[in-house]
């Protein structure tokens, strides 16, 4: 096997730039100036880099590899990056920390609200009816199986007003928080993880032509929120330019193709030591069980199967073999919004 390419910090971010979820990770890495590799993906499956090479059934974007460990879901990815690259590490820039209990709670609540609070559904229903994507039968069929709801234009036309009403309420919540004149959502001096948790659906929609009618949601109606969006974009633009400059000097981030990414992963060490296992987990699952793992909110028909090797309050870890090469990798997912089921061995008989 050819030798593995040098990947900065052994981080590979599989994503496509239009993905609002993936931007959370791109922003985090760039704001912290953490050099990494990206492996660009198409906006819909098949994604052979993930399915045929790594053997992942999980179809959501983004996915992050660190060494031989593969992390699913931005909630887990952000918490793993914060743990592995702590603010105290002088090689990287810190984000403003959430120091008070109120800041910590607001940061957590903002993350749950934007990821689990139905915002993604509402935001998707604000995509303008004229969007080319809604007229592409392949994309529509793919997203119908992904979300479980109809992406038919007539249905979208019916739901859109309701989605706008809900998003207006969501913009209103942010406007309330920002109305005391704070520059950043937790009242910090510079951006914090709280800004990343909060900003992504609003940034995505506010920049999409034709998504938001100006008499319902606009800079005039939500001035503090729109000013904050601009401020945040300025901060990430600056960070992205700095990252590009470092790459041009050969010092930092890079792009890799799927085959190179796979080679790096299978030739790496595990980034994490043996995962912890809580024997008293309420599910009663035992270490070494053969299980299936899948998300419950979207992309729920894509189930991964492997050996259960880690189980904590926050995280589940399964071990499986890459499809190409049969090398062991560990797949990490958050507990919230994921289901783990022991495989009924008798069903195979
Ligand atoms: N809770 C997941 C949600 C990820 C998600 O829904 N990603 C979208 C892209 S923004 C997706 O995978 N869409 C279908 C696709 O790209 O195939 C996360 O935080 O990572």
């Amino acid at each position: 096997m050819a030798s593995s390419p040098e990947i900065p910090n052994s981080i590979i971010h599989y994503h496509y730039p239009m993905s609002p979820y993936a931007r959370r990770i791109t922003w985090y890495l760039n704001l912290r100036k953490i050099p990494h590799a990206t492996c660009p993906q198409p906006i819909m499956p098949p994604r052979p880099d993930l399915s045929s090479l790594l053997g992942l059934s999980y179809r959501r974007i983004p996915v992050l590899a660190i060494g031989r460990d593969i992390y699913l879901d931005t909630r887990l990815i952000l918490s793993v990056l914060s743990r592995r690259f702590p603010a105290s590490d002088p090689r990287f820039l810190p984000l403003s920390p959430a120091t008070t209990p109120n800041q910590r709670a607001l940061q957590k609540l903002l993350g749950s609200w934007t990821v689990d609070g139905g915002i993604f559904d509402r935001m998707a229903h604000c995509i303008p009816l004229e969007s080319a994507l809604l007229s592409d039968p392949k994309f529509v069929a793919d997203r119908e199986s992904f979300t479980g709801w109809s992406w038919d234009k007539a249905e979208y036309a019916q739901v859109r007003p309701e989605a706008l009403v809900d998003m207006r309420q969501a913009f209103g919540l942010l406007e309330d928080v920002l109305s005391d004149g704070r520059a950043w959502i937790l009242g910090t001096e510079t951006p914090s993880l709280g800004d990343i948790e909060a900003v992504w659906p609003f940034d995505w929609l506010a920049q999409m032509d034709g998504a938001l009618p100006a008499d319902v949601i606009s800079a005039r109606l939500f001035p503090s929120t729109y000013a904050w969006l601009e401020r945040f974009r300025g901060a990430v633009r600056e960070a992205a330019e700095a990252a590009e400059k470092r790459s041009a000097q050969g010092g930092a981030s890079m792009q890799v193709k799927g085959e190179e990414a796979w080679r790096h992963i299978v030739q790496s060490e595990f980034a994490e030591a043996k995962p912890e296992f809580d024997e008293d987990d309420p599910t009663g699952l035992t270490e070494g069980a053969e299980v299936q793992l899948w998300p419950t909110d979207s992309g729920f028909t894509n189930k991964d199967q492997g050996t259960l090797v880690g189980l904590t309050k926050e995280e589940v870890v399964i071990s499986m073999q890459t499809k190409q090469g049969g090398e062991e990798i560990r797949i990490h997912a958050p507990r919230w919004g994921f289901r783990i089921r022991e495989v009924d061995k008798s069903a195979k008989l």
Side-chain angles (χ1 to χ4, degrees):
M1 202 189 284
S3 73
S4 139
E6 278 303 315
I7 303 279
N9 297 301
S10 226
I11 298 176
I12 302 167
H13 183 203
Y14 291 87
H15 77 117
Y16 53 91
M18 204 181 82
S19 158
Y21 275 106
R23 287 179 190 174
R24 284 156 56 79
I25 305 307
T26 304
W27 292 333
Y28 183 90
L29 291 167
N30 284 345
L31 285 169
R32 300 267 336 262
K33 291 197 173 30
I34 301 176
H36 59 279
T38 55
C39 186
Q41 296 302 306
I43 65 162
M44 66 179 140
R47 301 191 177 109
D49 298 348
L50 292 161
S51 53
S52 311
L53 299 181
L54 293 184
L56 256 195
S57 174
Y58 184 78
R59 56 109 357 131
R60 306 199 298 193
I61 291 293
V63 167
L64 193 90
I66 309 184
R68 233 175 229 258
D69 289 275
I70 315 289
Y71 299 92
L72 312 183
D73 200 288
T74 56
R75 291 164 303 159
L76 180 66
I77 294 171
L78 287 173
S79 97
V80 166
L81 287 171
S82 310
R83 191 170 74 215
R84 292 193 57 84
F85 302 91
S88 56
D89 189 331
R91 292 174 302 158
F92 310 113
L93 285 186
L95 289 175
S96 269
T99 45
T100 68
N102 276 357
Q103 285 177 323
R104 281 198 292 274
L106 181 57
Q107 179 164 294
K108 261 222 143 69
L109 287 171
L110 286 167
S112 307
W113 179 55
T114 59
V115 175
D116 301 317
I119 299 265
F120 184 76
D121 166 334
R122 305 286 82 189
M123 134 186 169
H125 279 104
C126 291
I127 295 177
L129 299 175
E130 309 73 50
S131 159
L133 288 176
L134 290 184
S135 298
D136 175 350
K138 262 173 121 178
F139 182 81
V140 165
D142 176 63
R143 288 323 199 244
E144 285 187 343
S145 86
F146 169 67
T147 58
W149 74 65
S150 165
W151 282 62
D152 178 71
K153 260 197 202 177
E155 176 81 12
Y156 253 63
Q158 207 169 22
V159 179
R160 184 175 152 78
E162 197 179 285
L164 285 171
V165 168
D166 291 351
M167 284 312 293
R168 177 170 62 186
Q169 228 177 75
F171 271 83
L173 187 149
L174 292 177
E175 191 68 16
D176 263 357
V177 177
L178 294 158
S179 63
D180 62 3
R182 64 183 69 191
W184 303 104
I185 205 86
L186 302 183
T188 48
E189 290 289 314
T190 59
S192 71
L193 183 55
D195 292 285
I196 295 178
E197 296 286 21
V199 79
W200 60 275
F202 304 95
D203 171 64
W204 196 75
L205 271 186
Q207 294 203 94
M208 184 178 285
D209 283 341
L212 303 175
D215 57 340
V216 183
I217 298 169
S218 61
R220 182 176 62 78
L221 297 167
F222 300 102
S224 306
T225 307
Y226 271 74
W228 167 69
L229 292 178
E230 262 319 305
R231 237 181 336 269
F232 186 79
R233 283 176 202 138
V236 295
R237 207 177 306 121
E238 225 173 80
E241 280 164 13
E244 231 162 76
K245 211 184 272 167
R246 285 197 310 279
S247 302
Q249 291 159 355
S253 301
M254 60 192 288
Q255 228 181 62
V256 285
K257 293 211 167 19
E259 188 81 27
E260 294 171 280
W262 165 83
R263 197 172 318 118
H264 177 81
I265 291 168
V266 299
Q267 292 184 3
S268 294
E269 299 294 327
F270 285 107
E272 294 199 39
K274 188 183 166 328
E276 282 173 44
F277 202 98
D278 177 5
E279 301 290 347
D280 299 321
D281 190 85
T283 58
L285 288 160
T286 51
E287 194 169 355
E290 186 69 7
V291 295
Q292 286 193 326
L293 171 71
W294 70 95
T296 52
D297 53 344
S298 61
F300 25 68
T301 54
N302 293 63
K303 303 180 177 181
D304 283 291
Q305 185 161 331
T307 308
L308 185 63
V309 292
L311 199 62
T312 67
K313 287 186 192 129
E314 309 289 344
E315 193 173 338
V316 46
V317 191
I318 64 172
S319 155
M320 52 181 252
Q321 267 70 46
T322 57
K323 190 156 182 183
Q324 174 163 291
E327 296 281 344
E328 187 190 5
I329 48 175
R330 289 189 194 134
I331 312 297
H332 301 242
R335 295 297 299 272
W336 189 286
F338 277 74
R339 186 155 292 148
I340 318 161
R341 282 282 184 274
E342 187 151 8
V343 175
D344 181 1
K345 296 203 181 89
S346 61
K348 281 197 207 148
L349 300 173

